Amino acid sequence: MNAISATSAVDIARTQSAVLSKSPSRTSFTSTSSSDKDASTSPTLFEQAGVDTDDAKAINTHSREIAMVDLSPEELDIAQALGDRTSESIECVRINRCRMNCETFQLLVDELCKYELPCLHTVDISQNRVGGAQAGAALAKLLTHAPTIRFLSLGWNQLSLVDLKALAATGSGACSIQCLDLRANPLGTSHKLSSKKATKHAGSEDNIWVSALVAAMPNLTHVQMAQATIDDSSLVCLLHALTAKVSCLEYIGLEWLGLGSRLATVRSIMSGLVPADLATPVRLLHLNLAANNLGDGGVKIIAESGAMLTSLTLACNFITERGTGMLAKWLPSSGLLALELSDNYFGDQGITSLLVTDGRRQSAYSPYNQLTSLGLNSCCLTDTSLRMLTDALTYNWAPLASLRILRNNRMSPGAKVAL
């Protein structure tokens, strides 16, 4: 009897486990991948904890996110994803990796606009196939219907700047967008325009609508365009419009754009950051130019531009000690508070050029009273660099609050401790 009872108990446990494992997953519009789980939105957390499905559904009614991830386009259904929740409580709509094209996106926007969305602040449709003028019109419709949207993620789609032209028609200041993610989109058509054409086209009437597009989003603080494909004229026109019309802009991400072979474009970009006069305050702006193969030639353009900003990332740009010497001359007038030079293998010679010091006399240092953050990870530094940095900080070379020297394997652990 004991053996039979034990066997029955095991069978019952297996049956219960099978029932839980067969809970319908295709009709659930919440991501079940570990990277996308959230304690407030994912019902799978309750299933794994052994909570009854009905209880999980009741708890999920408090979720403020509509998440549809890794579904087929046919499975995308706003009403089903919303369930018993009220649309007034929704704060985020996330549709990722669903192979959604322009037509599907337009249908979903039409469905979303049937609901009142007074609290919606985030729309993330990254990693789909959205593109074309119809997509821009659908975005304009959604932003008009839900003017509270502040975070718009459009990365890894098929959008061009021209596709977003419909947003310019919404009017100046019509959008509340603060963060715009355009990464890995075909924003422009060609890299091959000459520098003269880039300068000429940037001020042409054909690009007036770009200024109108930027004017429609006066609250922008972050713009991300890493890995995007964009021609010189479109890039210069967009960045000049951003720096001229958006006073609250804090971050521009231009990583992996291949600007090292487009140095005339770099010169045009930096010209937009030159203050009109000495009385103009320094822009609280972080410009990220990482992984562009700029080399010392690109650094020279930046250092000689007269631009002023508070943070600059030049990581992974093949900068040598010649480039750090140019930066050393520019730093006092740059207004920089943070400089990121990681993954440039200039070694101890680069530190010598940056510090502009012989390591013995305080007068040999060029003091940078404003620099508070310096990144030197993976720069092939040795204990010699650490000694120079220690001496420089002793003589108040800069009021550094953050100095990053990780992954410099030629340094001894004892020297790091001493610093």
Side-chain angles (χ1 to χ4, degrees):
M1 287 296 292
N2 291 339
I4 295 174
S5 299
T7 303
S8 300
V10 171
D11 291 340
I12 292 172
R14 289 177 177 173
T15 302
Q16 291 176 340
S17 176
V19 171
L20 287 176
S21 65
K22 292 180 181 179
S23 298
S25 58
R26 292 180 63 84
T27 57
S28 174
F29 289 87
T30 304
S31 170
T32 58
S33 63
S34 59
S35 61
D36 295 314
K37 286 182 180 178
D38 185 274
S40 64
T41 61
S42 178
T44 58
L45 297 179
F46 301 108
E47 293 174 4
Q48 290 176 356
V51 179
D52 186 79
T53 305
D54 293 335
D55 293 338
K57 183 177 180 181
I59 296 174
N60 196 44
T61 60
H62 298 290
S63 169
R64 298 183 179 182
E65 179 186 55
I66 293 177
M68 296 181 281
V69 181
D70 292 320
L71 300 176
S72 66
E74 296 76 17
E75 292 177 299
L76 298 176
D77 189 329
I78 296 294
Q80 187 172 0
L82 184 61
D84 297 332
R85 295 171 292 174
T86 61
S87 61
E88 288 82 359
S89 66
I90 298 300
E91 297 180 355
C92 174
V93 174
R94 188 159 56 93
I95 308 171
N96 305 136
R97 300 189 301 275
C98 294
R99 305 187 301 281
M100 176 175 61
N101 59 20
C102 175
E103 290 74 19
T104 304
F105 177 60
Q106 197 169 22
L107 291 173
L108 288 177
V109 168
D110 291 340
E111 189 174 354
L112 272 173
C113 289
K114 296 177 182 178
Y115 299 95
E116 294 295 327
L117 300 165
C119 297
L120 183 62
H121 59 67
T122 300
V123 173
D124 180 359
I125 61 167
S126 58
Q127 302 179 64
N128 283 288
R129 301 172 182 174
V130 177
Q134 291 179 330
L139 281 170
K141 180 178 180 179
L142 179 59
L143 293 173
T144 302
H145 178 73
T148 54
I149 295 174
R150 302 194 302 276
F151 306 97
L152 183 59
S153 181
L154 307 174
W156 287 273
N157 276 287
Q158 298 174 7
L159 289 164
S160 69
L161 280 180
V162 177
D163 296 340
L164 302 178
K165 197 171 182 178
L167 298 183
T170 59
S172 180
C175 302
S176 301
I177 296 176
Q178 296 177 0
C179 299
L180 179 63
D181 185 355
L182 297 171
R183 287 177 291 179
N185 274 288
L187 299 179
T189 55
S190 174
H191 286 217
K192 299 180 181 180
L193 292 177
S194 67
S195 59
K196 292 182 179 179
K197 288 184 178 181
T199 304
K200 180 179 178 180
H201 284 248
S204 68
E205 294 182 0
D206 294 338
N207 289 322
I208 292 178
W209 65 267
V210 175
S211 296
L213 171 65
V214 173
M217 299 178 284
N219 299 316
L220 269 178
T221 60
H222 292 69
V223 179
Q224 301 184 57
M225 292 187 286
Q227 296 180 286
T229 304
I230 183 168
D231 61 80
D232 295 342
S233 64
S234 298
L235 179 59
V236 171
C237 180
L238 177 59
L239 293 181
H240 281 190
L242 285 169
T243 54
K245 295 181 177 297
V246 183
S247 59
C248 56
L249 192 64
E250 298 177 5
Y251 177 87
I252 300 177
L254 302 177
E255 311 96 304
W256 296 97
L257 296 188
L259 295 177
S261 60
R262 305 154 68 186
L263 293 182
T265 302
V266 176
R267 182 177 287 107
S268 297
I269 291 172
M270 299 307 297
S271 68
L273 299 174
V274 178
D277 53 66
L278 295 177
T280 304
V282 180
R283 293 185 65 97
L284 298 176
L285 176 65
H286 178 189
L287 180 62
N288 191 340
L289 295 174
N292 272 291
N293 298 335
L294 292 176
D296 294 337
V299 171
K300 181 179 180 181
I301 291 174
I302 294 171
E304 295 178 353
S305 66
M308 297 184 68
L309 62 162
T310 53
S311 182
L312 178 64
T313 295
L314 293 174
C316 197
N317 268 301
F318 298 98
I319 299 172
T320 70
E321 65 274 11
R322 181 169 170 264
T324 59
M326 297 173 188
L327 289 173
K329 296 177 181 178
W330 175 57
L331 277 175
S333 61
S334 66
L336 283 178
L337 301 177
L339 177 61
E340 180 60 67
L341 295 174
S342 296
D343 297 293
N344 289 291
Y345 308 125
F346 41 70
D348 296 338
Q349 296 86 350
I351 295 300
T352 301
S353 299
L354 183 65
L355 296 178
V356 194
T357 177
D358 61 5
R360 293 172 295 180
R361 296 181 295 108
Q362 179 177 357
S363 59
Y365 293 94
S366 294
Y368 307 129
N369 296 327
Q370 77 279 7
L371 193 66
T372 60
S373 177
L374 180 61
L376 297 171
N377 297 329
S378 297
C379 289
C380 296
L381 306 184
T382 69
D383 292 357
T384 301
S385 292
L386 280 180
R387 285 193 294 270
M388 288 190 291
L389 287 167
T390 302
D391 290 342
L393 294 176
T394 301
Y395 292 120
N396 298 320
W397 173 74
L400 291 182
S402 174
L403 175 61
R404 298 174 295 284
I405 53 173
L406 299 176
R407 302 189 303 279
N408 285 290
N409 297 329
R410 300 179 183 179
M411 290 182 180
S412 63
K416 294 181 181 181
V417 171
L419 178 63

